[in-house]
């Protein structure tokens, strides 16, 4: 089997990906691609990234045997890749460290970013404070309301948070504004995109920096258990934690990979964010991928209780892995995610992010189809501190 190194030279993952952007942005994308390729070949850059990941972020994160839920479910052994233990509480900082160092390498002193749940915004603000970079974060007004604590964190770290009222006031709209800002400030500003979305080379850059998750998992599982896990599960919004986890396993055909989208109020409704399950191929934010669209081809608003998953598109590499059937993509409703949020908290003493709770919920279902000789690894992409007030309100609303 050939080494999986997607994308090709045109930034394509099969028929997905590419660079569908204004001509004004092309020089910045070429500059970024060249800087990234040179950096990955520079031992000093790799050493610097590794230093910050270890000494500042706290890597490597544990691969934890979840004995409580393993016993309760009575099926396969279940392991949690604890990205929630990273500095800032999620996987996002793996990418922001790398891109912030690329920013300095390109001689730029300003950063713009988008955020949904606030985790990428916090991670960006954190590394900008660390490295002395100016930082502007665009965030939908709806997400600002449900993630007030993360907004305060970003401001505390020195970032300027700009509210976006257009559209649904969520992640899609924040990306629109961040791209708009970048177009007119490319000379001195780098856009630290937070997921494996957007025009080439962003999907590859983010995947490369997030692949530390899967690389560590693969090594840790071999050391602790031996061999490879039978199944690996991760939640999908834009798809950065999942791509980082899946990429090192793509060629290991014995490992089944499962991406879990947000089914929101249900796939039968218009209130969901299950792009690969219910979307069609189109172009959004500079890339060709699967999108939620109405009958006229207009972008349909995504919906999820989780601010980090309500994005109407998905990374183009995920679309390719879906098209080739290498990854199985499914979905979990808000109700199921809330139940898994409470379950992991009560049984393991770990409060997961609502995003990660979608992966936990799917693992609970999948475990019923597997036996005690098998194993599941869940990417616990973030911690749930940011979500407890929202969950409390949702649960009280059910009563």
């Amino acid at each position: 089997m050939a080494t999986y190194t997607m994308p090709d030279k045109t930034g394509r993952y099969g028929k997905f990906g590419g660079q569908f952007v204004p001509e004004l942005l092309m020089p910045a994308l070429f500059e970024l691609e060249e800087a990234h390729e040179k950096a990955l070949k520079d031992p000093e850059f790799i050493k610097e990234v590794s230093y910050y990941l270890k000494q500042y972020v706290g890597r490597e994160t544990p691969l934890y045997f979840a004995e409580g839920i393993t016993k309760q479910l009575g099926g396969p052994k279940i392991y949690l890749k604890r990205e929630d233990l990273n500095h800032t509480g999620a996987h996002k900082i793996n990418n922001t460290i790398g891109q912030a160092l690329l920013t300095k390498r390109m001689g730029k002193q300003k950063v713009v970013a988008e955020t949904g749940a606030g985790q990428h915004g916090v991670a960006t603000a954190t590394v900008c404070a660390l490295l002395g970079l100016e930082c502007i974060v665009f965030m939908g007004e709806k997400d600002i309301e449900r993630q007030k604590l993360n907004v305060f964190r970003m401001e505390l770290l020195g970032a300027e948070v700009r509210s976006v009222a257009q559209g649904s006031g969520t992640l899609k709209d924040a990306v629109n504004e961040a791209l708009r800002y970048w177009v007119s400030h490319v000379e001195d500003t780098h856009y630290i995109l937070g997921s494996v979305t957007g025009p080439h080379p962003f999907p590859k850059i983010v995947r490369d920096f997030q692949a530390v998750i899967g690389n560590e998992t693969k090594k840790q599982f071999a050391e602790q258990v031996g061999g490879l896990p039978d199944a690996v599960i991760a939640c999908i919004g834009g798809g950065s934690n999942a791509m980082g986890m899946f990429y090192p396993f793509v060629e290991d055909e014995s490992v089944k990979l499962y991406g879990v989208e947000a089914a929101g109020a249900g796939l039968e409704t218009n209130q969901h964010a299950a792009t690969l399950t219910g979307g069609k191929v189109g172009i959004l934010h500079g890339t060709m991928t699967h999108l939620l669209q109405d009958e006229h081809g207009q972008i349909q608003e995504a919906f999820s209780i989780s601010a980090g998953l309500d994005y109407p598109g998905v990374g183009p590499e995920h679309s390719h892995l879906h098209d080739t059937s290498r990854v199985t993509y499914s979905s979990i409703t808000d109700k199921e995610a809330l139940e898994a949020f409470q379950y992991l908290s009560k049984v393991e003493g770990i409060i997961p992010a609502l995003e990660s709770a979608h992966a936990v919920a799917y693992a609970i279902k999948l475990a019923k189809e597997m036996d005690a000789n098998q194993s599941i690894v869940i990417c616990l992409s973030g911690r749930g501190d940011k979500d407890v007030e929202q969950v409390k309100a949702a649960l009280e609303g059910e009563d």
Side-chain angles (χ1 to χ4, degrees):
M1 189 175 188
T3 301
Y4 184 86
T5 57
M6 302 288 275
D8 63 18
K9 290 180 180 179
T10 64
R12 294 286 186 143
Y13 303 82
K15 66 183 181 184
F16 303 102
Q19 293 173 315
F20 299 89
V21 297
E23 190 174 342
L24 187 63
L25 264 186
M26 290 305 292
L29 292 175
F30 291 144
E31 177 192 22
L32 179 58
E33 183 178 12
E34 183 180 9
H36 176 240
E37 288 180 357
K38 285 184 177 178
L40 292 186
K41 295 173 184 174
D42 183 351
E44 286 304 309
F45 178 81
I46 300 302
K47 184 179 177 182
E48 192 174 19
V49 171
S50 298
Y51 168 78
Y52 283 114
L53 288 178
K54 182 178 180 181
Q55 299 295 337
Y56 188 70
V57 177
R59 304 205 70 93
E60 58 185 45
T61 59
L63 180 65
Y64 170 70
F65 174 49
E67 190 173 0
I69 59 174
T70 295
K71 284 182 178 177
Q72 279 207 7
L73 296 174
K77 293 179 176 64
I78 298 175
Y79 296 84
L80 307 176
K81 180 56 173 166
R82 299 289 308 275
E83 292 301 292
D84 59 311
L85 295 179
N86 282 329
H87 179 42
T88 71
H91 68 291
K92 292 294 187 179
I93 199 164
N94 301 327
N95 168 55
T96 60
I97 284 283
Q99 285 207 55
L101 291 172
L102 274 181
T103 302
K104 294 193 71 110
R105 193 178 176 95
M106 290 185 290
K108 299 183 178 184
Q109 289 300 317
K110 297 180 182 178
V111 160
V112 64
E114 86 299 327
T115 197
Q119 289 302 102
H120 174 61
V122 169
T124 303
T126 298
V127 298
C128 285
L130 172 70
L131 298 174
L133 299 167
E134 292 183 40
C135 182
I136 296 173
V137 180
F138 287 93
M139 189 173 189
E141 63 177 6
K142 181 179 177 182
D143 290 336
I144 283 177
E145 180 59 31
R146 57 183 174 177
Q147 295 292 343
K148 290 179 182 177
L149 188 58
N150 273 342
V151 174
F152 178 69
R153 284 193 179 107
M154 286 182 267
E155 292 173 342
L156 185 63
L157 290 159
E160 177 190 346
V161 180
R162 295 192 183 180
S163 178
V164 180
Q166 289 92 335
S168 61
T170 57
L171 183 57
K172 167 182 70 71
D173 312 293
V175 175
N176 286 341
E177 290 306 308
L179 280 169
R180 209 169 273 134
Y181 180 91
W182 191 37
V183 167
S184 57
H185 296 83
V186 291
E187 299 85 3
D188 63 357
T189 302
H190 172 56
Y191 178 17
I192 298 187
L193 208 158
S195 196
V196 286
T197 54
H200 177 71
F202 280 112
K204 182 178 186 298
I205 288 173
V206 179
R207 176 252 277 168
D208 286 350
F209 287 135
Q210 290 293 0
V212 65
I213 303 172
N215 285 326
E216 281 183 11
T217 299
K218 199 169 187 178
K219 178 175 77 73
Q220 290 168 323
F221 193 90
E223 291 170 353
Q224 294 177 30
V225 186
L228 294 165
D230 295 288
V232 173
I233 304 173
C235 65
I236 304 262
S240 63
N241 91 93
M243 204 60 244
M245 176 61 96
F246 293 164
Y247 181 60
F249 288 101
V250 166
E251 290 192 12
D252 300 305
E253 295 180 349
S254 67
V255 181
K256 294 183 178 179
L257 305 175
Y258 297 91
V260 187
E261 297 185 300
L267 296 180
E268 69 282 1
T269 73
N270 283 331
Q271 291 186 305
H272 67 79
T275 306
L276 288 164
T277 306
K280 300 173 185 175
V281 177
I283 295 170
L284 177 66
H285 297 145
T287 192
M288 182 175 287
T289 187
H290 284 85
L291 311 172
L292 294 179
Q293 303 174 54
D294 63 20
E295 64 272 21
H296 305 296
Q298 297 300 305
I299 300 301
Q300 182 179 306
E301 300 296 348
F303 175 86
S304 170
I305 192 171
S306 165
L309 299 184
D310 63 352
Y311 181 66
V314 70
E317 192 163 6
H318 283 296
S319 283
H320 175 69
L321 292 170
H322 173 267
D323 229 32
T324 56
S325 300
R326 176 61 187 96
V327 179
T328 300
Y329 293 91
S330 190
S331 61
I332 286 293
T333 65
D334 286 354
K335 185 175 184 295
E336 291 170 321
L338 281 169
E339 289 170 354
F341 182 95
Q342 296 170 84
Y343 181 69
L344 192 69
S345 300
K346 291 174 181 176
V347 179
E348 291 292 346
I350 298 171
I351 302 174
L354 273 172
E355 292 82 4
S356 312
H358 286 70
V360 175
Y362 189 79
I364 292 169
K365 288 184 174 182
L366 185 64
K368 295 172 184 175
E369 303 169 12
M370 299 171 68
D371 60 44
N373 295 320
Q374 295 179 293
S375 57
I376 294 175
V377 172
I378 304 168
C379 184
L380 202 70
S381 58
R383 65 177 183 236
D385 305 44
K386 66 183 177 61
D387 298 314
V388 289
E389 287 186 21
Q390 186 186 356
V391 170
K392 182 175 182 288
L395 295 176
E396 288 172 349
E398 290 178 358
D399 293 340

